Amino acid sequence: MNQDLSIFSLMLQASFVVQLVMAALLLVSLASWTVIFAKLISLSKVRASNDAFEQEFWSGKNLNDLYQAVAGKAQTSPLERIFAAGMREFLKLRERRMGDGATLLDGARRAMRASFHRELDAIESNLSFLASVGSVSPYVGLFGTVWGIMHAFVGLSNLTQVTLATVAPGIAEALVATAIGLFAAIPAVIAYNRFARQIDRTAITLETFIEEFSNILQRNAVQPAPAGTAGPATR
């Protein structure tokens, strides 16, 4: 009699422990794909918004006007928030006449670095989940396979005659767990590596902006504030 060896049938025929492992791996795989698609969208938005602000920043717009525009936005990019943090601290220290140009620049840089680390933490959210799925899922699947093979051989011990037809279904059921583990792990590993490279490039962009903006603030720190304002207006 022919036996149904389809994936779905093998999953239904597997032992309870193996079925539990398969169900857990499928749920993890679903969660992993959810994170992957959400991360694709969020990183795309971060890149687009950063590029838009960087283009506006280097267009020659007055820094005070740019700061007011950023402060009035409901949704801002990481680059805009870093810019606003540095500009806010610079204006605050300059208005209070606290220290010389070096003090103003140091305060602004520290504010931007703190904002940079907050932004990086937000961008890297859920990345560790993908790393965990990629590293743990194959071993969970392997556990299901080992358990399934043990269960199959225990059942075969009661038979007087063992043939390939009697061994194959039990082994196949067990191997499905490993296959599902790899199905969950491989996309997570690929996505993790891709997102890690994108986040590294984003971090470099943010750090480069901090250095360039610091140079602008350094030039303005040694100049008197323009009439009617406490902040820099020139590049």
Side-chain angles (χ1 to χ4, degrees), residues 59-209:
S59 66
K61 188 174 182 179
N62 183 282
L63 291 179
N64 295 306
D65 295 340
L66 186 59
Y67 173 65
Q68 294 299 326
V70 170
K73 284 185 178 180
Q75 298 290 335
T76 54
S77 67
L79 213 56
E80 287 174 309
R81 289 189 286 271
I82 290 175
F83 163 77
M87 193 73 171
R88 187 185 306 114
E89 187 67 17
F90 184 90
L91 294 176
K92 184 187 300 182
L93 294 175
R94 192 167 193 177
E95 184 179 2
R96 296 177 181 178
R97 303 289 193 272
M98 298 180 63
D100 53 8
T103 302
L104 299 179
L105 181 61
D106 183 60
R109 283 180 62 87
R110 282 189 283 106
M112 287 191 288
R113 296 300 300 183
S115 179
F116 166 77
H117 289 298
R118 287 194 298 270
E119 296 299 331
L120 203 58
D121 286 342
I123 294 174
E124 290 178 342
S125 62
N126 294 326
L127 203 61
S128 60
F129 173 76
L130 293 179
S132 298
V133 171
S135 60
V136 174
S137 292
Y139 295 103
V140 176
L142 184 59
F143 166 77
T145 295
V146 172
W147 187 277
I149 291 175
M150 290 171 55
H151 183 267
F153 277 110
V154 169
L156 292 175
S157 64
N158 298 323
L159 300 178
T160 56
Q161 183 178 5
V162 178
T163 64
L164 182 61
T166 57
V167 173
I171 302 300
E173 293 168 13
L175 291 176
V176 171
T178 296
I180 296 177
L182 294 175
F183 175 78
I186 292 173
V189 171
I190 295 174
Y192 174 83
N193 291 333
R194 177 179 177 180
F195 294 151
R197 289 194 299 270
Q198 291 181 350
I199 291 173
D200 286 342
R201 288 196 293 268
T202 300
I204 291 173
T205 299
L206 298 180
E207 289 185 315
T208 301
F209 175 80

